[in-house]
Amino acid sequence: AVKHRYNPELKSVGIALNMVAPDEPESAQIVRSCRAHLGRSLFSTAIRTDRRVGAAALQGVPVIVNDCESDAARSYLGLSEELIARVQ
């Protein structure tokens, strides 16, 4: 609907999973299912669940500024590298 209504030239670069908790069986199953069904349209990098995301939001800063060594910050950096590689 967005493409049709606002931007007919809009193209998807990929789909990113977020709030992934790799240690939880349900989360791991969802990731496997998404990978099986979405294939290459799904980015390899998934954003892991991390309490520092909420802390960063409360401070009004990106998670990379709040704690650049956190799982979420590393995940976002990995996703940004993957995104750049896809659009180049």
Side-chain angles (χ1 to χ4, degrees):
V2 171
K3 180 177 180 174
H4 176 72
R5 186 170 183 175
Y6 297 107
N7 186 352
E9 302 299 317
L10 187 65
K11 293 183 178 149
S12 173
V13 176
I15 300 167
L17 296 176
N18 65 0
M19 297 186 69
V20 173
D23 297 335
E24 296 181 16
E26 297 86 3
S27 183
Q29 177 59 38
I30 291 168
V31 170
R32 283 192 299 275
S33 179
C34 288
R35 294 205 189 285
H37 288 86
L38 299 172
R40 292 187 43 82
S41 64
L42 191 65
F43 286 104
S44 297
T45 304
I47 307 302
R48 300 177 70 172
T49 300
D50 192 328
R51 63 178 177 76
R52 289 175 186 92
V53 173
L58 287 173
Q59 295 174 8
V61 298
V63 69
I64 190 97
V65 172
N66 178 269
D67 184 353
C68 65
E69 295 298 319
S70 69
D71 287 338
R74 282 189 242 133
S75 296
Y76 277 110
L77 286 172
L79 180 61
S80 64
E81 290 171 357
E82 195 174 347
L83 176 63
I84 290 167
R86 284 194 185 193
V87 298
Q88 287 183 342

